[in-house]
Amino acid sequence: MGNFLYLDCFSGVSGDMFLSSLLDLGISPSLFISEIKKISIPFEIEIEKVQKQNISATQVKIREEEHYHHRPARELIRIIQESPFPPSIKEKAQEIVWKIAEVEAKIHGADPQEIYLHEVGGADTLVDVIGVLMALHMLGIEEIRSSPIPTGHGWVETAHGRLPIPAPATLELLRGIPVYSGEIEGELTTPTGAALVSSLSESFGDLPPCQIEKVGYGAGEKDYPHPNVLRAIMGKRESRLKEEKNLMIETNIDDMSPQVVEYLTEKLFQAGALDVFITPIFMKKQRPAFQLSVIAPPFLKSKIEEIILKETTTLGVREYQVDKYFLPREEIEILTPWGKVRGKLSYWGEMVKITPEYEDCKKIAAQEKIPLLQVIQEAQREGEKIAEGKCF
């Protein structure tokens, strides 16, 4: 069983709330401060206990001189690159900061390298991003899930003027994630919070079955009629199967040429469908027909339905939710006597499966004029060597 974290975002999520909730799970404040102060910019940090509507929570406060607050994205990336943190933390931190920069650049029509990150350009953002990654490492978290995200509503004053809530950057960063406005007038979820949760959480929904071990509360800056905290639930998960919720969209067709199916399938995959397949069936009066089945993420529902209704003769579709459970996996690169082959390494306890990429093996077999099966078997053998010594 691995350490599992569930983010209960009933009051939204910001970078400081995320970090505070993790520290509240039992990380030594002095140890954390000694590590986070390795960031090469001047700032002051305080970690204290506060009360939010009678709930005791941890609150992190970062102070920096005003003229340092606004930095271009390239400078934040440079600071991360030159920091002494482990490569895995630095790489993920750069990815998250660059994600924010790309969104801001898209909104303002600027170059991501040159865009100035006003509200998220200070030490507090770097401390939030690097601090969250460092705290997750300290806690040994292997899996993160989150509740749907409330954004709040109304208006917020920013360096770019008065903007609607959720702010444009927050909205972009939450694409494909279940969100709702809620009843609170105010900014519940910030761009940094949205970037962190969208980058780190594997799925969004109810708390899955787990053994709860600790609960942490991270305080937000503002006060609302409800406790303005992010609740972090840490525990163990019996199963290491990954879970994903998708839609199955289907229709039966008996009056269309099968020649169209290839074109239709290609369009559906290009739109983001996870799987498309055809099942021969018999309809009324034993008329030969086929059933079109498409598995897709819920947010692609309208797009998939539009393609089916435009590109086929059907007059309607049916849909239902399907739960997908699959083995954890990682991408690997396998070195064979004939060249490199991409592959997947999946595992369940001590059981390991190596799946070489078919197209890579096929290309080598054609170029080297050797049996395809020989290439696949060799790639599997070399892949097993990579898996040796890994702890699952």
Side-chain angles (χ1 to χ4, degrees), residues 37 55 92-93 117-118 155 163 195 201 220 239 253 294 337:
K37 290 290 281 186
I55 290 183
K92 194 65 179 179
L117 303 180
H118 297 285
W155 299 87
L163 297 175
S201 182
S239 171
I253 301 175
V294 183

Side-chain angles (χ1 to χ4, degrees), residues 24-325:
D24 202 52
L25 288 170
I27 294 175
S28 164
S30 59
L31 175 61
F32 176 80
I33 290 174
S34 67
E35 289 297 314
I36 202 66
K37 290 290 281 186
K38 293 176 181 177
I39 297 176
S40 61
I41 52 177
F43 66 93
E44 296 298 323
I45 178 171
E46 290 182 9
I47 301 173
E48 59 183 359
K49 282 286 188 179
V50 298
Q51 291 284 321
K52 290 289 181 176
Q53 297 289 350
N54 295 319
I55 290 183
S56 175
T58 293
Q59 187 170 52
V60 176
K61 292 182 179 179
I62 309 297
R63 291 194 303 274
E64 183 183 24
E65 292 183 30
E66 182 65 29
H67 65 280
Y68 286 124
H69 280 189
H70 311 313
R71 294 180 174 87
R74 67 175 185 278
E75 184 176 346
L76 294 181
I77 296 295
R78 179 190 60 77
I79 293 170
I80 295 171
Q81 289 174 338
E82 295 176 356
S83 68
F85 301 108
S88 59
I89 290 178
K90 289 164 62 172
E91 289 170 11
K92 194 65 179 179
Q94 289 178 71
E95 176 188 320
I96 293 170
V97 170
W98 185 247
K99 189 174 184 178
I100 298 173
E102 286 186 314
V103 163
E104 292 282 3
K106 175 184 176 183
I107 293 168
H108 302 296
D111 182 345
Q113 291 276 3
E114 303 301 325
I115 188 77
Y116 269 74
L117 303 180
H118 297 285
E119 278 72 25
V120 293
D124 52 347
T125 297
L126 285 180
V127 171
D128 289 342
V129 172
I130 295 175
V132 163
L133 297 172
M134 193 165 64
L136 291 171
H137 178 73
M138 289 177 171
L139 293 167
I141 301 299
E142 297 179 5
E143 179 184 1
I144 303 174
R145 298 199 187 192
S146 172
S147 67
I149 309 297
T151 61
H153 64 91
W155 299 87
V156 61
E157 298 296 335
T158 74
H160 299 290
R162 198 166 189 245
L163 297 175
I165 296 172
T170 301
L171 204 57
E172 286 289 331
L173 289 162
L174 292 176
R175 276 179 178 267
I177 292 172
V179 302
Y180 60 99
S181 295
E183 300 177 356
I184 297 298
E185 185 171 341
E187 187 180 33
L188 296 182
T189 296
T190 65
T192 303
L196 282 165
V197 75
S198 64
S199 300
L200 298 174
S201 182
E202 297 180 20
S203 64
F204 296 81
D206 296 333
L207 174 67
C210 66
Q211 297 175 11
I212 297 174
E213 294 185 342
K214 297 179 182 178
V215 179
Y217 293 91
E221 182 180 347
K222 297 181 180 178
D223 292 315
Y224 296 117
H226 66 268
N228 185 25
V229 297
L230 172 64
R231 179 160 59 183
I233 300 171
M234 179 175 162
K236 299 287 187 182
R237 293 262 287 158
E238 290 287 352
S239 171
R240 295 188 68 178
L241 281 177
K242 302 295 183 180
E243 181 181 346
E244 189 175 272
K245 294 187 182 295
N246 295 307
L247 284 181
M248 177 74 81
I249 303 173
E250 296 179 340
T251 188
N252 296 345
I253 301 175
D254 66 356
D255 57 351
M256 188 180 82
S257 170
Q259 290 176 310
V260 180
V261 171
E262 180 187 6
Y263 176 78
L264 171 65
T265 300
E266 184 178 335
K267 287 206 69 171
L268 290 167
F269 276 125
Q270 288 175 349
L274 301 174
D275 200 3
V276 182
F277 54 95
I278 300 294
T279 307
I281 58 174
F282 288 94
M283 294 179 64
K284 59 184 178 182
K285 299 182 180 179
Q286 294 301 297
R287 182 184 301 165
F290 65 86
Q291 176 179 286
L292 170 67
S293 302
V294 183
I295 300 177
F299 70 90
L300 288 178
K301 172 181 179 296
S302 298
K303 195 172 186 180
I304 297 298
E305 289 175 350
E306 180 182 0
I307 292 173
I308 294 174
L309 293 172
K310 281 185 175 181
E311 300 291 347
T312 74
T313 56
T314 191
L315 301 178
V317 299
R318 58 185 175 272
E319 65 182 49
Y320 50 91
Q321 182 176 293
V322 292
D323 294 335
K324 176 182 177 182
Y325 299 89

